[in-house]
Amino acid sequence: MHYFRYINDKLCCEGVSVYSLARRFGTPLYVYSQATLVTHYQKLQSALAPVEHLICFSVKANSNLSVLRLLASLGSGFDVVSGGELQRVLAAGGEPSKCVFAGVGKTEAEIEFALKRGIYCFNVESEPELERINRVAARLRKTAPVAVRVNPNVAAATHAKITTGTYTTKFGIPFEEIESVYARAAKLKHVRLRGVQMHIGSQITTVEPFEEAVRKTVPLVQSLKEKYGIEFFSVGGGMGIVYESALASGSPRWWEGPAGKDLLTPTRYASRLVPLLKPLGLRIIVEPGRLVVGNAGILVTRVEYVKRIGSKNFVIVDAGMNDLIRPTLYDAYHEILPVVRKRNATFCADVVGPICESGDFFCKDRVLPKVEQGDYLAIMSAGAYGFVMASNYNSRPLPAELLVNGNRVAVVRERQRVSALWEDEKLAPWLK
Ligand SMILES: *Cc1c(COP(=O)(O)O)cnc(C)c1O
C-alpha cells in the first residue's frame, strides 16, 4: 500500500502535488511519503505483537538520515552491513544497543568500531569471522555478543541475485554445521552466544519459503537455547512488496494487488510464523528493508525526447540507471505513471535514460499514456534499493531526496553539486 493518489488527474504524494515538487526541486527527484513508511512499520509492529520482538530496519534499503531518524523515533532497531551504515545510524540518533551487524566481510576496524559502540549483536557468517571477533574483543578486553547466521538451504522463489538462503550463495553457515560451530564458539572466551539468525533472500512474495525455513530451523534454535541460553532468533527480512499496484488502471481496490494473488502482508506473514515462533520463548527479530520503504518512494523524471527506431518507440527521460539500477540489475518491474494524467491515447514504448549503455532502461515494450517532451513521469515503488544504489556514472550528480509529511515537504538530501563530483580528485604533480 502507499499514499500516492491521483487528485484531479494530478499524482499526489499525501497532500502534495508531485508536479509542483518536480517544478520546484527539479528532476530526477526521489520523493518519500512519511505516512506510507510509518504505516508499514506499524502494521508489522502490531502483527508481531503476540511475541516479544524487535524490528531492525535494514539500512541498506534506504539509508537517508531522515528515514533512519523517523524509524528510530518509532522505536526501530537497525540491521547494518558495514561500519559506514552503523555510523549513519548513530548520526541519525539510532541506538547502537538496537543494532545488529550482518555481512560476510566485516573488517577488523569495523568490528572494533561496533564493539566500542556497544551493538546488540554481530551476526556471524563464518568461523574465521568468529575467531576474528574473539581476537578483537580480547584486545579491547570486551565480550562480543554474537549470533551465527544459519543458511537453511531453502529456495526462496525470487531473483537469483537476491537469493541468500541456499548453498550456492556465500551467506551464513550450512544448517548441518551449526551445532558444531556453536560448540566451538562456546569455548571462545571473548564472545557470548546471544542468538541465532537467518535471512533467506529478498522480494519474497509468498509466506511459504519463510514458513519452510522457520519450520526447518526451530528445532535447532530450541536446542541452542537449551545448551547455550541464547535469547533471540532473528528470522531476517525479505518480505516482498507489490510493484504492480494497478494504480494506472484506476482500480479502487489496487492495494489488494493483482486479482487472486495471496499477497504477503505483515498480517499474513505473522499469522503463519508467530505460532511456530512463540513456543520458543525467545525474542524474535525481523529485519525488513523493502517492506518498510519500498512503496514509500518514487523517482520523478522528465521526458527529454520521444524518438522512434524502426518499429520501436523510446521515451528518453532525465533519470538513468545511475539513479535507479533495479531494472537492469534485477530485471525489476517498476510501474511508470504520468505525473499529470491526460487521458489521451496510449502507445507502446521503452522508457530509457541518457546513459551510454543499452542496459539503461526503466521498462521495455510497455503500454504507456502517450507522452511528450517536458512531461513528468513517476517511477513507482523506488523507495528501497533506489537512491542507495545511485552512482555518479557519466558524471551525473546524485538526485535530490524529499520527504513529504501530509502537506509538508522537506529536502532531506540536496541535489549534488556537479563540482562535488571531482572535489576529492587531485591533479598528479607532473601534470600541473
Ligand atoms: C538485505 C538484508 C535484509 C533486508 O532485506 P529486505 O528484502 O529489504 O527486507 C535483512 N537482513 C539481511 C541480513 C540482509 O542482508
Side-chain angles (χ1 to χ4, degrees):
M1 60 75 62
H2 56 68
Y3 290 96
F4 293 91
R5 295 277 185 288
Y6 280 107
I7 300 175
N8 299 328
D9 287 333
K10 282 192 166 166
L11 185 67
C12 290
C13 173
E14 303 188 20
V16 179
S17 131
V18 173
Y19 178 78
S20 70
L21 296 175
R23 297 289 298 189
R24 186 164 153 212
F25 297 100
T27 50
L29 180 70
Y30 275 95
V31 180
Y32 305 123
S33 150
Q34 177 161 328
T36 308
L37 211 150
V38 170
T39 303
H40 282 125
Y41 179 87
Q42 288 174 340
K43 279 192 173 171
L44 187 58
Q45 179 83 300
S46 50
L48 292 171
V51 284
E52 204 235 303
H53 69 275
L54 177 65
I55 298 176
C56 289
F57 173 70
S58 179
V59 174
K60 74 178 192 285
N62 188 320
S63 60
N64 183 281
L65 287 193
S66 287
V67 168
L68 301 182
R69 165 83 91 183
L70 173 63
L71 287 163
S73 75
L74 298 173
S76 185
F78 298 94
D79 165 43
V80 303
V81 292
S82 73
E85 284 191 352
L86 180 55
Q87 295 206 47
R88 263 186 182 277
V89 168
L90 299 174
E95 289 174 41
S97 64
K98 287 184 179 174
C99 287
V100 292
F101 190 169
V104 297
K106 301 176 193 78
T107 65
E108 292 234 6
E110 288 176 318
I111 292 166
E112 178 168 340
F113 178 70
L115 252 178
K116 284 181 174 163
R117 293 306 158 111
I119 62 162
Y120 181 66
C121 201
F122 290 92
N123 291 338
V124 175
E125 307 232 13
S126 66
E127 281 199 78
E129 182 192 330
L130 200 52
E131 283 152 24
R132 177 179 276 184
I133 291 172
N134 185 56
R135 233 183 308 116
V136 175
R139 174 160 56 76
L140 299 174
R141 298 194 170 78
K142 285 182 180 292
T143 305
V146 299
V148 172
R149 175 169 179 175
V150 185
N151 182 327
N153 202 21
V154 166
T158 185
H159 192 272
K161 284 187 182 140
I162 46 178
T163 292
T164 60
T166 65
Y167 292 172
T168 56
T169 70
K170 66 183 175 184
F171 298 100
I173 291 180
F175 184 86
E176 296 76 16
E177 295 169 26
I178 295 292
E179 289 267 14
S180 62
V181 171
Y182 273 75
R184 285 194 289 278
K187 298 199 181 91
L188 299 174
K189 286 206 175 66
H190 293 272
V191 303
R192 167 181 159 219
L193 291 167
R194 190 165 212 174
V196 55
Q197 195 261 356
M198 69 179 180
H199 172 69
I200 58 171
S202 195
Q203 185 52 13
I204 300 167
T205 52
T206 60
V207 78
E208 283 74 25
F210 295 109
E211 192 176 347
E212 187 187 345
V214 166
R215 266 189 205 286
K216 179 169 178 183
T217 315
V218 155
L220 173 68
V221 178
Q222 181 65 40
S223 143
L224 296 173
K225 182 192 173 192
E226 283 156 19
K227 286 189 192 144
Y228 308 105
I230 59 168
E231 66 185 46
F232 79 87
F233 177 25
S234 170
V235 295
M239 297 78 121
I241 61 166
V242 179
Y243 281 94
E244 308 88 346
S245 77
L247 191 57
S249 63
S251 157
R253 288 155 65 84
W254 61 267
W255 57 86
E256 290 176 8
K261 228 178 151 186
D262 270 355
L263 295 178
L264 184 88
T265 59
T267 319
R268 206 161 274 149
Y269 175 85
S271 70
R272 293 281 280 276
L273 296 192
V274 164
L276 304 173
L277 296 170
K278 199 172 167 67
L280 286 170
L282 292 173
R283 169 183 236 194
I284 301 303
I285 292 184
V286 288
E287 304 162 356
R290 191 189 313 267
L291 177 80
V292 177
V293 288
N295 288 147
I298 63 171
L299 174 60
V300 187
T301 184
R302 190 182 61 215
V303 175
E304 296 293 335
Y305 301 99
V306 180
K307 76 184 247 188
R308 212 178 153 84
I309 296 182
S311 60
K312 274 180 80 79
N313 297 306
F314 292 90
V315 174
I316 301 167
V317 296
D318 70 351
M321 64 187 282
N322 70 299
D323 302 305
L324 178 68
I325 203 172
R326 297 192 66 259
T328 197
L329 189 58
Y330 306 120
D331 308 305
Y333 175 92
H334 283 271
E335 193 159 67
I336 299 180
L337 298 175
V339 165
V340 179
R341 203 155 54 174
K342 294 192 246 173
R343 300 179 189 280
N344 54 359
T346 58
F347 73 150
C348 185
D350 289 14
V351 176
V352 301
I355 305 270
C356 300
E357 298 273 349
S358 307
D360 181 27
F361 65 90
F362 295 111
C363 70
K364 288 190 166 167
D365 299 319
R366 180 96 51 95
V367 177
L368 296 164
K370 227 170 183 159
V371 291
E372 18 182 310
Q373 199 170 77
D375 286 349
Y376 292 108
L377 293 173
I379 303 172
M380 305 302 287
S381 304
Y385 308 103
F387 183 91
V388 285
M389 287 191 181
S391 79
N392 290 125
Y393 188 39
N394 281 204
S395 283
R396 289 164 51 83
L398 298 176
E401 294 174 285
L402 306 180
L403 183 64
V404 171
N405 177 19
N407 295 319
R408 301 167 70 188
V409 179
V411 178
V412 294
R413 183 177 176 119
E414 295 284 356
R415 185 174 303 285
Q416 194 174 30
R417 287 169 296 109
V418 174
S419 61
L421 295 178
W422 54 86
E423 226 164 44
D424 298 330
E425 295 177 31
K426 286 190 174 67
L427 287 175
W430 59 89
L431 296 175
K432 278 186 181 157

